[in-house]
Amino acid sequence: MTEESDTMLDVYDEQSEQRSFSLDDSSSSEESPKHTRLSLETVNDAIPYIGQRFATHDAAYDFYSHFAKGCGFSIRRHRTEGKDGVGKGITRRYFVCHRAGNTPIKVSSETKPQRNRKSSRCGCQAYMRISRCTEMGLSEWRVTGFAIHHNHELLEPNQMMRLMELEKGVEPGYLPFTEKDVRNLIQSSRRVEQDDENIDLLRMCRNLKEKDPNFRYEFTTALNGRLENIAWSYASAVQSYEIFGDAVVFDTTHRLNAFDMPLGIWVGMNNYGMPCFFGCVLLREDNIGAFSWALKVFLKFMNGKTPQTILTDQNLCLKEAIAIEMPTTKHALCIWFIVAKFPSWFNAVLGERYNDWKAEFYRLYSLGTTEEFEHGWSEMIDRFGLHSNRHITNLFTSRTLWALPFLRSHFFAGMTTSGLSKAINAFIQRFLNAQTRLAHFIEQAAVAVDFRDQAAEQQTMQQNLQNICLKTGAPMEAHAAAILTPYAFCKLQDEFVMAAHYASFQVEESCFVVRHHTKIDGGRKVDWDSREEFVSCSCHMFEFSGILCRHALRVLSTINCFQIPDRYLPLRWRRMNSLVSKHSTDEALVEQNERFQALQSMLSTLVSEATKSKERLDIAFEEISELLTRIRGVPPSGLGSRNGVHRIAR
């Protein structure tokens, strides 16, 4: 990889010299932040970015409107905050895509019936937010929020032409430019200093590799020598994947619009219920070949370990690529990507019945069995008259890829919930919104990942210090509380509480039926093998989430189990000190475990003392950040190493 990237950079260097452009000059560390901001604003201000400045809010609106037209959508003013009368005038403005929001349904009256016209609004989330700032008596507006992703198709050049003709009030064909001019303008804006961007991007990757040998990246070039695809991951991401790579989200719904490049992001969930980053890929095209390359490289980064499950958008090319490159991995569709399209699919079709239909969809989505789902789906179609709706037909055809009744026998780590989708999107937006140049993008991604790692460490520390409150007093509950993270234990504790409401009936030597105490029939089938300490429930909750269900817990209680069998306290949901203990097989690692416990005690004291004042907290953050930098500079020995443990020199 190093030789290939060096060769690639050498080729670009030669091209740069012919253009009287120095690669070293472009990435000089001596360049001041002020100079960098100037170069960005004068060269790459085609795309909004956080911190961008405008003299007036009208100037910001004009800029965003110009950007929108180039991308194929139009905008409108949404809302303002801090209006006159509060005392400070308008302090914040939102500009949104013209398809943002949902049009309220007009209620017809007997005296004056009204017609509900088809609305173009579909809940699009693309927006730009500006806030007024005052420095040294001068007022200006800065971009404080920006989302570029749309949940609908954008306009083609011919549609843009018609839109501008209507806006200018001219007859078709009388604009001072042609459709070809518009297409050329879009293509040129997407190729802003493309060669220079490729140089900077590869330079950035090589610099990261030199600083951290465990940083990983791969790329391909086209026949003309241009950079085609590039993927990268960080050492911390590879380490996280080793434990938490059983379930993966591969989000390919974003694009770097300035370069018309699809962006793919691999994300998982750690043992504290927080998103963890695994890797990124930029592709020139979103076809089967490109996705196959991306998946191959990702598995190479992760030392050949394939995930048990992978969640994606409804991309047919990606589906084919996964079938080829990950044949043993269960592929499913992210429900939040599907639901995000509902407003544009069904709002106008269903009108005032849209919310009722959506509630019924969620009920069917969460049913327990496939038979219940298919029967309920048929009734839903009849009730809402959707027999000929193509979206409903496609959803039913692909039901095995998204409906929970068809997925519960596979492990998804809780990543089918809408709450996690919001957390993942918030994480992605941290570096997606700041895109201006490719090299800056990969650098910003590294910052965002580091920020997420630090946030995860902080939350881990805080949760480890929490006092767990037992609700049932059962020995099994206390046993689980000592091993699982608070996030996982709270989910298991909910099942402990509910288990008390269920009755178990032994129907065979190793088989039980468990049902709610108010029911006289039905229930779940639970199998128990005392020799192997194996328990299995027909609800498949453990297989789906790694958390034992109330039915299995009720049976374990019935047979006088006082500790949960080890296999039902999965490694991926355990506290970090439990992970160390799990791997402790010799004296050196036992000693490491003891030091780990001592470190936790010191951290507890640190948190207690640092939170007593803002000054103490600032000092703690500064010192801990420096300490983390030093620690990450020491190569890890691995938990299973028999060569002792690295000590950090003072």
Side-chain angles (χ1 to χ4, degrees):
M1 167 51 62
T2 302
E3 294 179 359
E4 182 183 1
S5 61
D6 287 346
T7 302
M8 179 80 170
L9 284 169
D10 289 341
V11 172
Y12 278 127
D13 283 341
E14 292 176 3
Q15 297 173 350
S16 300
E17 290 174 1
Q18 294 172 2
R19 297 191 307 271
S20 300
F21 176 79
S22 170
L23 176 64
D24 292 334
D25 291 344
S26 70
S27 57
S28 172
S29 60
E30 296 178 359
E31 184 175 293
S32 68
K34 183 176 181 181
H35 180 75
T36 303
R37 170 58 59 84
L38 178 62
S39 65
L40 286 176
E41 292 186 350
T42 55
V43 178
N44 287 316
D45 261 6
I47 303 176
Y49 59 89
I50 305 299
Q52 188 174 10
R53 303 179 179 189
F54 299 95
T56 66
H57 55 75
D58 287 333
Y61 177 84
D62 292 340
F63 169 83
Y64 189 45
S65 179
H66 179 75
F67 164 75
K69 288 179 182 178
C71 293
F73 68 100
S74 59
I75 67 169
R76 58 184 169 85
R77 292 179 172 87
H78 180 42
R79 71 173 188 265
T80 60
E81 296 178 359
K83 293 184 178 180
D84 290 327
V86 176
K88 296 184 178 179
I90 297 174
T91 58
R92 183 178 294 179
R93 278 189 175 275
Y94 288 81
F95 307 132
V96 299
C97 173
H98 74 291
R99 302 194 67 180
N102 297 304
T103 302
I105 302 299
K106 297 179 181 178
V107 180
S108 60
S109 63
E110 296 181 359
T111 58
K112 188 178 180 181
Q114 297 188 19
R115 181 161 54 105
N116 284 317
R117 297 181 178 178
K118 185 175 181 180
S119 172
S120 65
R121 298 190 181 184
C122 60
C124 181
Q125 299 294 313
Y127 78 99
M128 185 176 83
R129 181 182 67 231
I130 59 174
S131 300
R132 190 172 67 178
C133 304
T134 303
E135 290 184 1
M136 300 180 66
L138 297 177
S139 178
E140 65 179 7
W141 294 82
R142 295 181 186 175
V143 176
T144 56
F146 173 57
I148 200 170
H149 181 60
H150 298 262
N151 65 351
H152 56 88
E153 296 295 328
L154 301 181
L155 297 178
E156 297 296 330
N158 62 333
Q159 294 172 312
M160 293 184 203
M161 290 287 292
R162 183 57 183 150
L163 181 64
M164 285 185 279
E165 287 168 350
L166 292 172
E167 186 179 80
K168 299 298 182 182
V170 300
E171 294 294 325
Y174 280 85
L175 285 173
F177 47 84
T178 66
E179 182 180 324
K180 183 178 180 181
D181 294 328
V182 175
R183 184 174 288 107
N184 290 339
L185 176 63
I186 294 173
Q187 291 176 350
S188 64
S189 66
R190 286 172 174 171
R191 295 172 181 170
V192 177
E193 298 181 325
Q194 189 70 59
D195 291 342
D196 298 342
E197 291 294 334
N198 294 337
I199 298 172
D200 290 345
L201 182 60
L202 291 177
R203 171 73 73 183
M204 176 66 69
C205 286
R206 189 169 70 176
N207 290 343
L208 288 172
K209 185 73 173 178
E210 290 174 353
K211 294 177 181 178
D212 180 5
N214 293 316
F215 173 77
R216 304 180 182 189
Y217 73 104
E218 294 275 354
F219 64 90
T220 63
T221 56
L223 295 177
N224 59 5
R226 288 182 179 273
L227 183 66
E228 189 174 41
N229 307 309
I230 184 166
W232 69 93
S233 186
Y234 308 94
S236 61
V238 176
Q239 293 170 0
S240 294
Y241 183 86
E242 186 63 31
I243 299 177
F244 309 119
D246 40 19
V248 174
V249 172
F250 187 28
D251 186 347
T252 59
T253 62
H254 304 279
R255 299 180 76 88
L256 292 187
N257 281 27
F259 309 97
D260 195 26
M261 297 182 73
L263 168 69
I265 303 171
W266 287 280
V267 187
M269 176 188 273
N270 68 14
N271 53 337
Y272 284 85
M274 298 181 66
C276 53
F277 176 89
F278 293 144
C280 262
V281 62
L282 283 168
L283 304 172
R284 185 59 58 188
E285 303 290 342
D286 52 356
N287 53 35
I288 296 177
F291 283 132
S292 291
W293 177 85
L295 294 171
K296 283 180 182 177
V297 169
F298 178 71
L299 293 179
K300 180 180 178 181
F301 288 167
M302 302 305 161
N303 303 314
K305 179 181 177 180
T306 58
Q308 295 178 31
T309 55
I310 186 168
L311 288 156
T312 72
D313 186 23
Q314 296 166 286
N315 189 308
L316 294 179
C317 292
L318 181 54
K319 179 183 177 182
E320 292 295 324
I322 291 173
I324 296 170
E325 305 301 336
M326 297 180 175
T328 62
T329 297
K330 172 61 179 177
H331 177 216
L333 301 178
C334 295
I335 188 62
W336 60 84
F337 290 148
I338 295 175
V339 172
K341 300 172 184 176
F342 282 177
S344 61
W345 286 355
F346 301 114
N347 208 348
V349 174
L350 294 169
E352 60 186 4
R353 299 189 300 165
Y354 171 73
N355 288 332
D356 291 339
W357 172 84
K358 193 173 181 180
E360 177 63 9
F361 173 86
Y362 277 120
R363 187 188 72 83
L364 297 176
Y365 167 74
S366 302
L367 285 174
T369 67
T370 57
E371 293 79 10
E372 290 175 327
F373 174 86
E374 294 187 351
H375 177 71
W377 191 269
S378 179
E379 290 184 339
M380 179 265 290
I381 291 177
D382 291 336
R383 175 184 170 189
F384 292 93
L386 295 170
H387 298 85
S388 60
N389 186 279
R390 65 185 179 90
H391 297 301
I392 286 291
T393 301
N394 291 337
L395 282 172
F396 186 74
T397 301
S398 62
R399 64 192 180 281
T400 59
L401 296 177
W402 59 264
L404 292 186
F406 299 91
L407 300 177
R408 285 202 171 94
S409 59
H410 302 275
F411 181 73
F412 286 95
M415 294 199 299
T416 57
T417 63
S418 59
L420 181 68
S421 72
K422 294 179 181 178
I424 290 176
N425 284 331
F427 165 67
I428 292 173
Q429 291 300 326
R430 282 194 63 84
F431 53 90
L432 189 65
N433 287 349
Q435 57 168 306
T436 49
R437 302 179 64 183
L438 287 178
H440 289 183
F441 172 76
I442 195 173
E443 186 177 33
Q444 186 67 20
V447 172
V449 171
D450 187 60
F451 176 85
R452 170 58 63 180
D453 289 343
Q454 293 181 33
E457 291 167 3
Q458 183 180 11
Q459 182 160 335
T460 298
M461 185 192 311
Q462 291 174 346
Q463 288 195 352
N464 278 333
L465 296 175
Q466 288 179 354
N467 293 322
I468 298 297
C469 178
L470 302 182
K471 296 182 179 180
T472 69
M476 280 193 298
E477 184 188 10
H479 174 231
I483 296 176
L484 300 179
T485 63
Y487 169 81
F489 174 71
C490 285
K491 294 188 173 298
L492 181 62
Q493 190 177 51
D494 289 341
E495 298 302 312
F496 270 117
V497 172
M498 293 306 300
H501 297 265
Y502 285 73
S504 64
F505 306 90
Q506 188 169 3
V507 294
E508 295 178 13
E509 181 180 355
S510 59
C511 181
F512 296 78
V513 170
V514 179
R515 58 174 170 260
H516 197 269
H517 72 94
T518 61
K519 306 292 184 181
I520 59 174
D521 56 11
R524 296 292 186 177
K525 178 184 176 183
V526 178
D527 294 316
W528 165 251
D529 185 336
S530 58
R531 181 177 301 175
E532 299 293 332
E533 290 193 327
F534 176 83
V535 64
S536 176
C537 180
S538 61
C539 77
H540 298 296
M541 179 173 170
F542 180 78
E543 290 83 355
F544 183 68
S545 65
I547 302 294
L548 273 181
C549 64
R550 62 198 65 176
H551 317 107
L553 291 172
R554 183 68 181 88
V555 169
L556 291 178
S557 178
T558 299
I559 62 176
N560 298 320
C561 237
F562 297 105
Q563 284 196 347
I564 295 178
D566 194 62
R567 71 173 71 185
Y568 300 109
L569 298 172
L571 188 68
R572 65 124 47 242
W573 292 132
R574 298 190 177 204
R575 295 170 181 262
M576 297 311 296
N577 58 341
S578 177
L579 299 184
V580 174
S581 177
K582 182 71 177 177
H583 288 84
S584 298
T585 57
D586 55 26
E587 292 182 1
L589 289 176
V590 170
E591 181 185 354
Q592 177 177 331
N593 191 22
E594 291 175 352
R595 287 201 298 273
F596 186 91
Q597 300 289 352
L599 178 60
Q600 276 198 319
S601 177
M602 293 172 63
L603 291 175
S604 175
T605 304
L606 174 64
V607 172
S608 176
E609 293 295 330
T611 54
K612 290 181 179 179
S613 71
K614 181 181 182 302
E615 291 74 15
R616 287 188 175 192
L617 195 61
D618 291 341
I619 294 174
F621 270 114
E622 182 179 348
E623 295 295 330
I624 291 174
S625 297
E626 182 179 346
L627 179 60
L628 281 174
T629 301
R630 290 172 53 201
I631 290 175
R632 287 167 178 159
V634 178
S637 61
L639 293 176
S641 172
R642 294 181 177 270
N643 298 323
V645 180
H646 287 286
R647 298 181 183 275
I648 300 175
R650 291 186 177 275

